[in-house]
Amino acid sequence: MSPDTPITAGPALQWNGYPATAATADKTAAQNVSVLIADDDLAVRRSLRQTIEAWGYTVVEAASGRQALALMAVDPNRVVLSDIDMPEGDGFDLLHEITGRYPQAGVIMVSGMSHEKIIDAAIEGGALGYVQKPFRLPELKSQLAAAVRKLQNPGRTQDLDTVKEYARLFVMTSDLHHIETGSHIRRIQKLSRHLARLAGCSDTHADLIGEAAGLHDIGKLAIPDAILKKPGPLTPEEFEIMKTHPVLGGKILEAAKDPLLKLAHVIALHHHERWDGNGYPHRLQGEACPLEARIVGIVDVYDALTERRVYKEPWPVEKVIEFFHEKRESSFDPRLVDLLLSNFAEFETIRTAEHS
């Protein structure tokens, strides 16, 4: 058998007729990189997993597009090997969601289909590569290595520092413009980071969520001061104008290419959606709203209720807890509410530390 012989799923993928082992792995390139295999065929997933783990990668599996997105929300710094024909969101749906939400990830499409139009559509949609079934290991390994290099781009750290500085400038601008106090934005960043970690996000992604959360209300820069700074309750007409700030924030950030600003775009646009689908602007229901936006949405309300505002006094802790119990399955993701309430003392410590 030559190295270019097609390989089908079985107990293990083969390399030159022998099981792929750690001896064939490029451990250095694979270090700290996770590979997500999204395929509804269990035999394919297991065979791919055994081979790719032998190359030195950490591997997780998903049997559907929906499962894959849930895993990406926890840690988006992955290379994704995605089948095209899957339940609950096919490979092209998954590609669109990942390239839109997680530009720091790399996607390689995997399929038994070899039609030129399908391959072109995958590449034009943002895929880094396309591997046809049955697999040829040299092709798979080389495309995987190329995707890893993209994730390990050494210039990203300096770029991220620049974007973080941009986010901090917005915090200062908001404070001067009296949109939100700088202390409120800093609390939202810290609280979002903490809830993200409790929700199972990796430290890296939780930190990114925390940074991006500082831009959640950037759209308020376009709201008239007469509404934004009104000391009393808004009229129904004024509230409709205020409700446009997520869309306005989305427009400000929609052309962003950097991963932090791409995530900030998602959060700014969706942090006022509700679990029951009665939020705004797009009435997204349940997990259709990105996890990052659900996290920022709940801590934004928590901070608003517990802090003094020009139009209200802070609520007592007992009333805040009762509120979240009542809204657990209507306004907010019930799992996130449970994490907030079961760790309430920790959130209070983080929130009140900003006052000292």
Side-chain angles (χ1 to χ4, degrees):
M1 179 184 291
S2 75
D4 291 327
T5 301
I7 306 299
T8 56
L13 296 181
Q14 303 286 305
W15 178 274
N16 270 346
Y18 297 93
T21 66
T24 66
D26 183 353
K27 298 276 188 177
T28 301
Q31 189 176 14
N32 297 324
V33 174
S34 173
V35 176
L36 167 59
I37 301 171
D39 196 307
D40 60 337
D41 189 319
L42 178 61
V44 170
R45 293 202 311 273
R46 294 298 161 83
S47 295
L48 273 174
R49 180 173 194 148
Q50 186 171 347
T51 299
I52 294 171
E53 284 182 337
W55 290 341
Y57 298 93
T58 300
V59 178
V60 293
E61 301 177 25
S64 68
R66 181 177 179 180
Q67 288 181 13
L69 281 177
L71 289 169
M72 290 300 293
V74 172
D75 183 4
N77 295 295
R78 306 182 190 272
V79 175
V80 182
L81 298 179
S82 175
D83 189 24
I84 290 180
D85 189 11
M86 291 188 297
E88 297 184 310
D90 65 23
F92 282 106
D93 293 333
L94 181 60
L95 175 64
H96 176 74
E97 291 294 327
I98 290 175
T99 54
R101 296 189 197 180
Y102 310 116
Q104 66 269 50
V107 182
I108 298 172
M109 302 298 283
V110 178
S111 177
M113 296 178 281
S114 61
H115 196 288
E116 184 177 348
K117 288 186 178 179
I118 295 175
I119 298 173
D120 288 344
I123 301 303
E124 289 174 4
L128 297 181
Y130 189 99
V131 180
Q132 186 180 348
K133 299 177 184 177
F135 306 102
R136 288 182 171 85
L137 290 184
E139 178 185 8
L140 177 62
K141 190 175 185 183
S142 65
Q143 292 210 28
L144 189 55
V148 168
R149 285 194 295 272
K150 184 251 185 183
L151 291 185
Q152 295 179 331
N153 179 0
R156 287 188 62 216
T157 301
Q158 183 177 356
D159 292 342
L160 184 58
D161 288 341
T162 300
V163 176
K164 286 181 178 179
E165 188 61 29
Y166 169 82
R168 293 186 187 104
L169 288 173
F170 168 70
V171 174
M172 294 174 61
T173 302
S174 298
D175 205 2
L176 291 172
H177 195 57
H178 304 292
I179 295 173
E180 299 287 2
T181 64
S183 59
H184 165 71
I185 296 176
R186 287 189 293 272
R187 286 194 303 271
I188 294 301
Q189 290 179 310
K190 294 175 181 177
L191 294 166
S192 297
R193 185 180 295 112
H194 189 58
L195 184 55
R197 286 175 177 156
L198 292 174
C201 295
S202 68
D203 287 347
T204 299
H205 193 48
D207 289 343
L208 198 68
I209 292 171
E211 291 290 343
L215 298 172
H216 72 288
D217 274 341
I218 192 171
K220 287 184 177 179
L221 286 170
I223 298 297
D225 282 355
I227 295 175
L228 198 62
K229 302 175 184 178
K230 186 176 180 179
L234 299 179
T235 67
E237 295 78 13
E238 290 169 336
F239 184 59
E240 288 303 311
I241 295 173
M242 180 66 84
K243 283 168 61 178
T244 64
H245 82 268
V247 172
L248 295 169
K251 287 185 179 296
I252 292 171
L253 295 166
E254 65 183 354
K257 302 297 183 184
D258 180 89
L260 192 157
L261 294 181
K262 292 278 283 187
L263 181 57
H265 170 262
V266 169
I267 291 172
L269 186 59
H270 297 306
H271 70 283
H272 281 293
E273 302 289 355
R274 288 173 42 130
W275 186 252
D276 60 9
N278 290 319
Y280 60 90
H282 297 132
R283 300 179 67 86
L284 299 180
Q285 184 174 9
E287 292 182 355
C289 178
L291 173 64
E292 299 90 346
R294 282 180 271 144
I295 287 171
V296 176
I298 191 171
V299 301
D300 189 28
V301 172
Y302 160 72
D303 190 74
L305 296 179
T306 52
E307 295 291 326
R308 178 177 285 102
R309 296 290 178 93
V310 292
Y311 54 87
K312 61 169 280 296
E313 291 298 312
W315 285 17
V317 167
E318 296 77 12
K319 186 177 179 181
V320 174
I321 292 174
E322 181 183 358
F323 171 86
F324 280 108
H325 276 301
E326 291 177 355
K327 302 295 183 180
R328 181 178 175 275
E329 293 185 343
S330 56
S331 295
F332 308 111
D333 181 339
R335 185 173 76 96
L336 295 181
V337 171
D338 292 345
L339 289 171
L340 171 67
L341 295 181
S342 62
N343 298 276
F344 199 80
E346 296 176 13
F347 284 93
E348 282 289 274
T349 298
I350 294 170
R351 180 182 67 82
T352 56
E354 191 64 38
H355 298 162
S356 58

